Amino acid sequence: MKSYNPFWKEHEKDIIIHNDKMNIIESCIDRHAEKTPNKLALSFEDHKIKTYTYKQLQEETNKFANLLNAQGIKPSSRIFIFLPKIPEMYFSILGTIKQGSIALPLFEAFQEQGLELRLERGDANVLITNSELAKRIPKDINKKVPTLKHIIIIDEDEYKNKLKKQSTEFKTVLKNKLDTAVIIFTSSTAGTPVAGIEIPHQALIQQHYTAKLVLDLKPEDNYWCTAHPGWVTGTIYGILAPLSIGCSTYILESHFDAKNWIEFMKKNKISVIYTAPTVFRLFKSIIKSDDLKLVRNVCSVGEALNKSVYDFYKKLGIDINDTFWQTETGAMVIATWNGVKKKPGTLGKAIPGITAKIIDNTISLKPDFPSLMIGIYNHKQMFKDYFKSGWFRTNDSATLDKDGYFFFVGRKDDIIKTSGERVSPLEIENILQKHSSVKEAAVIGIPDELKGAIIKAFIILNDCIEPTEKLKNELSMFVKQNYAGHAYPKEIEFVPSLPKTNSGKIIRMKLREMEEKNKK
Ligand code: AMP
């Protein structure tokens, strides 16, 4: 998509563009560092609290960008950032983009094989991590990923000393509007388990606009987005969009704990929250209306927001706004926002500037908006396959009513959403198949009251292997330890055969239908 429609042209004025050149960091940091240098930009909490004003964030980001240059890392490199939600994760993403390179944030739960696959598929040039997560880097990574020339371990003295010497001044490198700023590696079922979705600099026009319209973010807000930057929501609406607005973003590095999370919200006077329905469901048992009295706007993303959850919060005085989008769209495309009439149980309406309709039962978008992906790294055909008869197909089934509200039905493909996190069954099946007991494996998501879906694996064992409970646990742990801590099968069933097409492809749809029948 070479140009976007006139609606978005009008909104270019909200971010910094020099004719056709830009770098999103000028809008996210530099302009605020000049106008409101002492305003809180990011506040991090793990066991202690660290805060950074816009000026300090600019200095930290500049030091990181200078360090990349000092290491001889050329602009346009692909820089993977594999860290928890600590300040260095944010400085690395922002500094990478500022230096003219491409940031590829990774979720910290990936284990050796999940990490390796992404580094290899993304032709990684640089990997930024810490000494704990570095233990998951395969020993022979240089052979497996020959493009990988630099591994930077942020908690080693060598790195810290080099960083200290860097200047806090850096001249932002301007890029073309359509150059890639970020690649998010997300799950796919179209022939490859992972796909690097390329999001361009110009996407910030739509990210900024939707942060204003839907999140209703204003510079005076204290904002909390619970997603890790390895997921698209965590990078786009957890870092870039709120910074471009100039508000204060609060980041909590901790596993889910309803009591702690509610405390965090109250203590920091959070006024706008963006999170997934799983979190709303997990809060339900203890949250009270008093806990939410400072919260002005609550938005939901990533999985279906059931009407019962919506109604529960409505009674507490919170009218949740649902938002629908995907890594591939780069920003929200359908939502409800304050001022638009809500129809509970729907995703909402197409946001202004977006033309959406249902084609072949799926949500389809006119590809004339600025945040749409500009490619899938090394997968030209797969990218083309998203577009049919001039429309971008989301692969999400839905219906549309006469007032323009979309009702979500489900994914058309086999992608699993568990706690709002996107998982490819292919990737888990590939790992399971590496276990010596497994002959064949098929993976699906099954409905779960709290997490939306949990992962279930159907396994044909090799001859002479006993189908025991102990083996089920061993297989679950095998995936957890080798692939990812967030995406291992919670349920396993040993089966004598799997439903297949004539050409031998597993029909996961059949397994989902069987599962539904059994539950009834
Ligand atoms: P991701 O690329 O990880 O953001 O996942 C995108 C997918 O999450 C979409 O294609 C949908 O299947 C699902 N999704 C996103 N937002 C919603 C929502 N509000 N309601 C239901 N499903 C959603």
Side-chain angles (χ1 to χ4, degrees), residues 81-85 89-90 105-109 225-235 253 421:
I81 302 143
F82 183 44
L83 284 170
K85 282 193 262 172
M89 172 113 210
Y90 293 69
L106 279 183
F107 188 41
E108 66 188 287
C225 168
T226 60
H228 183 281
W231 304 113
V232 75
T233 301
T235 286
E253 169 55 20
E421 291 165 352

Side-chain angles (χ1 to χ4, degrees), residues 23-214:
N23 185 313
I24 54 176
I25 304 304
E26 284 188 313
S27 301
C28 295
I29 304 179
D30 296 342
R31 63 174 165 181
H32 306 302
E34 201 182 315
K35 279 199 185 133
T36 52
N38 299 322
K39 184 165 175 49
L40 177 69
L42 301 177
S43 172
F44 296 87
E45 179 175 327
D46 45 23
H47 43 277
K48 55 180 193 266
I49 293 171
K50 286 185 186 159
T51 59
Y52 299 87
T53 63
Y54 274 92
K55 183 71 193 159
Q56 288 167 329
L57 178 61
Q58 184 185 48
E59 289 175 357
E60 293 296 337
T61 308
N62 286 351
K63 276 181 4 197
F64 183 82
N66 280 317
L67 181 106
L68 292 179
N69 283 346
Q71 302 276 92
I73 296 164
K74 301 228 156 44
S76 300
S77 297
R78 283 170 306 283
I79 303 187
F80 277 80
I81 302 143
F82 183 44
L83 284 170
K85 282 193 262 172
I86 55 173
E88 288 80 359
M89 172 113 210
Y90 293 69
F91 303 156
S92 307
I93 293 174
L94 295 161
T96 291
I97 301 171
K98 188 161 196 174
Q99 184 257 7
S101 284
I102 300 167
L104 296 96
L106 279 183
F107 188 41
E108 66 188 287
F110 285 111
Q111 300 293 329
E112 186 169 323
Q113 294 182 32
L115 172 65
E116 181 191 315
L117 183 72
R118 285 159 179 78
L119 294 175
E120 186 229 304
R121 294 291 161 89
D123 293 331
N125 301 122
V126 183
L127 171 63
I128 318 272
T129 189
N130 64 16
S131 43
E132 189 51 39
L133 296 180
K135 292 178 192 153
R136 302 180 195 165
I137 304 172
K139 299 265 171 311
D140 53 351
I141 193 69
N142 291 334
K143 255 200 225 142
K144 286 176 166 152
V145 188
T147 50
L148 182 60
K149 300 291 181 222
H150 305 263
I151 297 180
I152 297 176
I153 313 281
I154 56 118
D155 48 352
E156 279 182 354
D157 286 343
E158 191 193 338
Y159 167 79
K160 288 191 202 160
N161 292 336
K162 271 189 195 150
L163 190 68
K164 244 189 235 157
K165 289 190 200 130
Q166 304 304 319
S167 161
T168 53
E169 303 283 320
F170 184 88
K171 194 167 176 317
T172 306
V173 175
L174 290 184
K175 309 287 288 184
N176 292 320
K177 275 166 41 177
L178 276 168
D179 283 345
T180 305
V182 176
I183 294 181
I184 302 286
F185 259 91
T186 193
S187 302
S188 151
T189 53
T192 169
V194 292
I197 306 294
E198 299 179 272
I199 301 176
H201 279 261
Q202 69 175 24
L204 191 67
I205 302 168
Q206 190 171 332
Q207 293 157 356
H208 180 94
Y209 173 78
T210 47
K212 247 175 34 184
L213 178 81
V214 181

Side-chain angles (χ1 to χ4, degrees), residues 184-187 197 230-233 274 277 300-305 321-329 334-335 346-348 363 394-397 408-413 415-417 420-423:
I184 302 286
F185 259 91
T186 193
S187 302
I197 306 294
W231 304 113
V232 75
T233 301
Y274 196 27
S300 175
V301 68
E303 38 168 341
L305 175 67
N321 284 309
D322 200 3
T323 69
F324 169 87
W325 60 297
Q326 46 182 205
T327 310
E328 293 87 334
T329 66
I334 293 172
T346 74
L347 297 173
I363 300 176
T394 61
N395 256 324
D396 282 301
S397 307
F408 184 75
V409 176
R411 287 288 305 182
K412 248 196 146 176
D413 55 18
I415 293 278
I416 302 166
K417 271 301 189 104
E421 291 165 352
R422 184 164 158 174
V423 175

Side-chain angles (χ1 to χ4, degrees), residues 262 265-266 273 279-298 307-320:
I262 291 170
M265 183 170 79
K266 283 164 60 178
I273 303 178
V279 173
F280 297 128
R281 289 190 287 263
L282 290 165
F283 275 166
K284 264 174 77 181
S285 61
I286 60 166
I287 202 157
K288 296 186 250 15
S289 61
D290 201 44
D291 296 327
L292 292 161
K293 68 173 190 258
L294 296 175
V295 181
R296 197 166 56 70
N297 190 21
V298 175
K307 189 171 173 307
S308 63
V309 175
Y310 173 84
D311 288 344
F312 173 90
Y313 283 87
K314 182 90 180 160
K315 277 193 196 130
L316 294 184
I318 294 287
D319 202 3
I320 302 178

